[in-house]
């Protein structure tokens, strides 16, 4: 099986990958306007940029049957999932802290 065959499902969804990347970058730019948003705005922007790079390497892998481009796109996807996983854990921990603080201060 060639690299272009393996990457074909992602190649067929390049429009959606690029649209999602643009939305994440725009969302990151919007949340920088808030005070707290500045602390977390870089995460969606970073993921958006990585998705744009994934779309480029997927296109290269499919059109030129380039195995290295396929591997590069998979490495970038791994990075995206790692960022999302770590960020999700941090958000869960932060939420637990804020809920316990609210209960302690009788805010509910």
């Amino acid at each position: 099986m060639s690299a272009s065959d393996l990457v074909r499902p992602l190649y067929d969804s390049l429009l959606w990958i690029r649209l999602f990347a643009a939305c994440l970058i725009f969302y990151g730019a919007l949340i920088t306007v808030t005070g707290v948003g500045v602390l977390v705005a870089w995460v969606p922007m970073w993921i958006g940029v990585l998705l744009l790079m994934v779309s480029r390497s997927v296109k290269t892998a499919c059109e030129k049957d380039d195995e290295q481009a396929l591997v590069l796109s998979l490495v970038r996807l791994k990075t995206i999932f790692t960022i999302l996983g770590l960020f999700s854990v941090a958000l869960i921990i932060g939420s637990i802290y804020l809920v316990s603080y609210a209960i302690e201060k009788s805010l509910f």
Side-chain angles (χ1 to χ4, degrees):
M1 191 172 253
S2 67
S4 61
D5 292 334
L6 291 172
V7 81
R8 176 62 62 181
L10 286 174
Y11 183 78
D12 292 339
S13 61
L14 279 182
L15 172 70
W16 297 109
I17 294 171
R18 290 177 179 159
L19 177 65
F20 186 54
C23 289
L24 283 172
I25 293 169
F26 182 70
Y27 172 70
L30 278 179
I31 62 175
T32 57
V33 175
T34 66
V36 178
V38 174
L39 298 173
V40 295
W42 59 273
V43 175
M45 294 174 86
W46 185 16
I47 293 172
V49 169
L50 282 172
L51 279 172
L52 287 176
M53 293 187 329
V54 165
S55 72
R56 259 187 254 127
S57 57
V58 163
K59 184 177 180 183
T60 302
C62 191
E63 292 177 352
K64 296 182 180 178
D65 197 27
D66 186 354
E67 289 182 22
Q68 287 181 326
L70 172 61
V71 171
L72 182 60
S73 63
L74 293 175
V75 167
R76 288 177 175 155
L77 283 172
K78 175 192 168 279
T79 303
I80 290 169
F81 285 115
T82 303
I83 295 166
L84 287 172
L86 292 173
F87 194 64
S88 296
V89 169
L91 287 176
I92 289 170
I93 291 170
S95 298
I96 291 170
Y97 172 75
L98 289 175
V99 167
S100 67
Y101 178 79
I103 291 171
E104 179 182 305
K105 297 294 182 182
S106 300
L107 298 176
F108 285 123

